[in-house]
Amino acid sequence: MRPISIALTAAGLVATAVAKSSSDPFPLPLCNGIDIEDATIDELQRWMMLGDLTSKDLVKCYVARIEQTNGEVNPDALSIASALDKERAKHGIRGPMHGIPFMVKDNIYTDDKHNTSEGGLVLLGGRYSSEATVVAKIRAAGGVLLGHAALSEAADHRALSNFSDGYSTRVGQTRNPFNLTQPTSGSSGGSVVAVRSNQVAIALGSETHGSLVHPAALLGLYTLKSTPGLISRHGIVPGSFYHDTPGPVARSMKDVAILFDIMAGVDRFDNSTFDALGHYPEDGYSAEVVGKDALRGMKLGLPWNPYWSTISSINSPGQRDQYEKRVKELKAAGAEIYNITYIPGIQNVASRYGFGQPSDVAAEYGQLEAYNTLLAVGYGEWLKGWTFPRGDKRRGMSSLAQMAAWNDAHNDTTGSLGNGTWWYNTVSGQDFYDNAIATNGTMGDKFWKAFGWGRRTARQAIDGGHAVVLKNGTVIELDGLLVPNDPSGGFDNACSSIPSYAGYPIASVPIGQSGYSLPCGICIYGRQYSEPKLIRVASAMEDLFRWNAKPKFHNYKTAKGRWETLWPGYTCTEDSLDHYGCAKA
């Protein structure tokens, strides 16, 4: 099966949509008389406990919603849900996920009738040695796997140029249901769109460098990218063993915490999980969820340069006012806000205007060297456990170089993989692959110099930023650093780079909408293994802001691609960003 295509194309939506109002072209039907729109895990569980809904009802209703857009689902979902309903009636529930449908990003292997292809064709039809640990844990907790969600091909690891964010060869372009001319900004976009458009209650994505926190911001959801190793990466196609981590995207921090309680823990298939021993909260992650009253006395930092000064998102029309209004609300709720001109060494490792490093960083410290090397290593390790059916010419494929060669040989061609499965490969860039192949996966002096510098410098910045020194010498330990999270209009986002280099966690909380009718949010930087504290900060902010908006599917009839003008009616240049604003065109 192909993954669910969360492409939200006009044809896929219009075919079965019956508008109840001009502002809601694709209304969600009631589920057995219950309005499940934007329902959280707790709400769905309550309806099932009251007998108003069953897990089978939920699967049927979410499948109908998926069919209202497009895609395919797990053919065993209904039978699994029915069995869980019978278990509920006879023995009670296993926990909060009992009977709850969920989806996974298509780089997370599930040992069932699905194909896991990472959105491409080169792995399509193959099987892995065993199911992803996170999927096995959620199934054991009673979750019902509904399907695979689309993603940017190869989790955005195939190409740096000549590609479209959210596009995969297998299913096409993922679009943003708030505005179909706009991107989803990150390879986990399909998982996030699935939750935001009510095709499922909760979904899993993964992040190497922004793939959870950026799409969560652009679709108004909550997420927490954890310290790599807190949650097992086994069974997930790797981009980097030092940066990757799976995580949930959800409608509340409570839902995020519920999934953390299930997924976190030691796994014999992932050595890095043993480093996390001793860092789990004693009463679980769900116990860390708090209300806005917890903001009183909470200490939060604003790392001014570059995050609140020159990056594009904060200087887009109207955005600075919106973000500063939220800061004032935090102060009014009792939070202590510390404005930090520069967190230690940040100007050496963070670009002044957004994603990535400064352009003048010496080549030997370039973090792309680290990511390139680790990509080649990761695919080589993955292919050791990956097998193709007998007779398939891809049997024996063992390296990223062989994968790239297969892609080159099959661009703009069609063919059959058997069992009625056809592929069509369009021309797509793969310069990320090519750069990775050039390293030969050699983790020598060149790699360790680049990786070590980036990890050390980024950690010094985040750790130092959490320790504010007052004029009298007093050191204040902060609960988190707040960073704008708004990649709308196709701009690169500044939120994820430094925590990715550091291997540190980030939470993202929605706060409002931009001029593109897209949501935007605030990232919260934490220190290593500070996930419990981040859940406290993020859930308190969630309760204070209580922001939610329904997708309006703007431009669903006419969307053909990105707008040519990044911000209609305005001209934004590096000079205008330096002056904290864009000029009217």
Side-chain angles (χ1 to χ4, degrees):
M1 292 181 64
R2 66 185 177 93
I4 290 176
S5 174
I6 311 299
L8 293 175
T9 57
L13 285 164
V14 173
T16 57
V18 179
K20 61 185 178 185
S21 72
S22 59
S23 62
D24 190 4
F26 308 111
L28 179 70
L30 296 179
C31 184
N32 200 30
I34 302 294
D35 183 0
I36 63 170
E37 186 170 28
D38 294 341
T40 63
I41 290 173
D42 280 351
E43 289 168 335
L44 295 175
Q45 202 60 254
R46 180 170 60 84
W47 284 318
M48 285 192 285
M49 292 181 73
L50 291 172
D52 295 327
L53 288 173
T54 65
S55 179
K56 189 174 181 179
D57 290 333
L58 286 176
V59 169
K60 286 182 176 179
C61 292
Y62 284 129
V63 168
R65 178 62 166 175
I66 291 166
E67 291 173 347
Q68 189 183 14
T69 54
N70 50 26
E72 299 174 6
V73 298
N74 182 2
D76 297 324
L78 275 176
S79 61
I80 293 170
S82 295
L84 287 165
D85 286 333
K86 291 177 182 177
E87 181 181 326
R88 175 190 295 271
K90 190 173 182 178
H91 302 293
I93 66 171
R94 303 181 190 182
M97 274 297 289
H98 189 111
I100 301 293
F102 71 102
M103 285 189 198
V104 299
K105 185 177 178 179
D106 191 43
N107 63 340
I108 301 175
Y109 181 71
T110 61
D111 193 18
D112 50 25
K113 295 175 183 176
H114 289 99
N115 275 305
T116 302
S117 71
E118 210 186 14
L121 304 178
V122 65
L123 297 178
L124 187 62
R127 310 295 293 178
Y128 196 57
S129 55
S130 60
E131 186 162 78
T133 299
V134 288
V135 176
K137 284 186 170 185
I138 297 173
R139 289 193 203 262
V144 181
L145 180 66
L146 198 57
H148 285 212
L151 76 163
S152 299
E153 185 162 343
D156 271 338
H157 293 134
R158 175 169 168 167
L160 296 168
S161 59
N162 190 26
F163 83 108
S164 174
D165 187 51
Y167 176 82
S168 73
T169 308
R170 190 174 169 197
V171 298
Q173 181 66 48
T174 301
R175 295 188 182 275
N176 193 310
F178 281 88
N179 183 342
L180 273 73
T181 66
Q182 292 299 295
T184 52
S185 189
S187 66
S188 299
S191 298
V192 183
V193 172
V195 177
R196 183 72 267 186
S197 57
N198 288 287
Q199 297 181 51
V200 74
I202 196 163
L204 296 187
S206 66
E207 176 159 331
T208 305
H209 188 171
S211 291
L212 281 167
V213 295
H214 293 174
L218 274 190
L219 286 122
L221 292 179
Y222 298 85
T223 194
L224 173 54
K225 190 275 292 189
S226 61
T227 304
L230 187 78
I231 299 171
S232 173
R233 284 85 52 86
H234 172 70
I236 302 172
V237 185
S240 163
F241 290 123
Y242 286 99
H243 303 89
D244 291 352
T245 185
V249 286
R251 296 190 181 93
S252 71
M253 283 307 300
K254 175 68 177 296
D255 285 4
V256 169
I258 287 171
L259 265 293
F260 265 70
D261 282 332
I262 294 169
M263 297 190 301
V266 169
D267 178 17
R268 65 188 178 92
F269 294 116
D270 185 347
N271 290 340
S272 64
T273 58
F274 291 90
D275 294 335
L277 283 170
H279 294 287
Y280 311 119
E282 185 175 341
D283 296 322
Y285 293 96
S286 296
E288 302 295 329
V289 176
V290 296
K292 61 185 178 182
D293 289 346
L295 286 165
R296 189 163 301 280
M298 196 174 280
K299 298 172 176 60
L300 304 172
L302 304 182
W304 189 257
N305 291 305
Y307 301 116
W308 292 83
S309 60
T310 56
I311 64 170
S312 54
S313 61
I314 196 69
N315 292 306
S316 298
Q319 288 301 83
R320 181 170 296 279
D321 290 342
Q322 179 168 204
Y323 275 101
E324 292 186 355
K325 176 177 179 289
R326 292 305 194 185
V327 172
K328 290 176 182 177
E329 290 173 3
L330 288 168
K331 287 182 179 179
E336 299 174 16
I337 304 296
Y338 295 84
N339 194 319
I340 308 167
T341 303
Y342 283 103
I343 59 178
I346 192 65
Q347 61 267 51
N348 298 323
V349 69
S351 165
R352 293 178 64 198
Y353 302 109
F355 212 58
Q357 295 177 263
S359 59
D360 58 355
V361 168
E364 62 263 36
Y365 299 135
Q367 290 307 286
L368 270 178
E369 175 67 28
Y371 289 114
N372 289 337
T373 305
L374 291 166
L375 188 64
V377 172
Y379 274 113
E381 288 296 315
W382 176 260
L383 289 168
K384 290 178 182 179
W386 193 255
T387 58
F388 291 101
R390 289 183 180 179
D392 193 308
K393 293 181 180 180
R394 295 168 296 172
R395 283 179 71 88
M397 184 179 286
S398 61
S399 69
L400 179 58
Q402 290 174 310
M403 290 173 60
W406 189 93
N407 285 334
D408 282 336
H410 293 86
N411 274 338
D412 282 339
T413 55
T414 59
S416 176
L417 294 174
N419 300 319
T421 303
W422 283 78
W423 47 261
Y424 172 68
N425 200 15
T426 57
V427 174
S428 180
Q430 55 178 0
D431 55 329
F432 204 153
Y433 279 5
D434 293 338
N435 294 341
I437 292 164
T439 71
N440 201 33
T442 301
M443 296 175 70
D445 291 344
K446 186 177 181 181
F447 164 77
W448 287 111
K449 185 173 185 178
F451 173 78
W453 180 86
R455 180 129 297 187
R456 180 180 64 256
T457 308
R459 288 186 172 185
Q460 288 172 347
I462 295 175
D463 290 341
H466 276 77
V468 175
V469 182
L470 302 183
K471 290 181 179 180
N472 63 6
T474 302
V475 178
I476 303 295
E477 179 69 22
L478 301 184
D479 295 298
L481 299 172
L482 306 185
V483 175
N485 188 13
D486 175 20
S488 62
F491 287 116
D492 285 334
N493 198 322
C495 178
S496 67
S497 295
I498 305 308
S500 178
Y501 304 157
Y504 279 7
I506 332 170
S508 184
V509 175
I511 66 160
Q513 273 177 287
S514 72
Y516 282 111
S517 297
L518 299 182
C520 56
I522 287 179
C523 276
I524 309 160
Y525 286 5
R527 303 178 73 176
Q528 190 177 37
Y529 299 120
S530 66
E531 287 81 3
K533 184 176 288 187
L534 289 182
I535 289 173
R536 288 182 62 83
V537 176
S539 59
M541 289 171 60
E542 173 189 359
D543 188 43
L544 176 67
F545 300 149
R546 292 181 177 269
W547 186 89
N548 188 39
K550 297 177 183 179
K552 298 299 184 182
F553 302 95
H554 290 304
N555 302 299
Y556 72 89
K557 292 181 180 180
T558 59
K560 295 180 180 179
R562 290 187 179 180
W563 288 342
E564 292 298 320
T565 305
L566 288 177
W567 197 277
Y570 286 81
T571 301
C572 299
T573 64
E574 289 193 358
D575 181 67
S576 70
L577 295 173
D578 283 333
H579 293 89
Y580 308 152
C582 303
K584 287 188 176 182

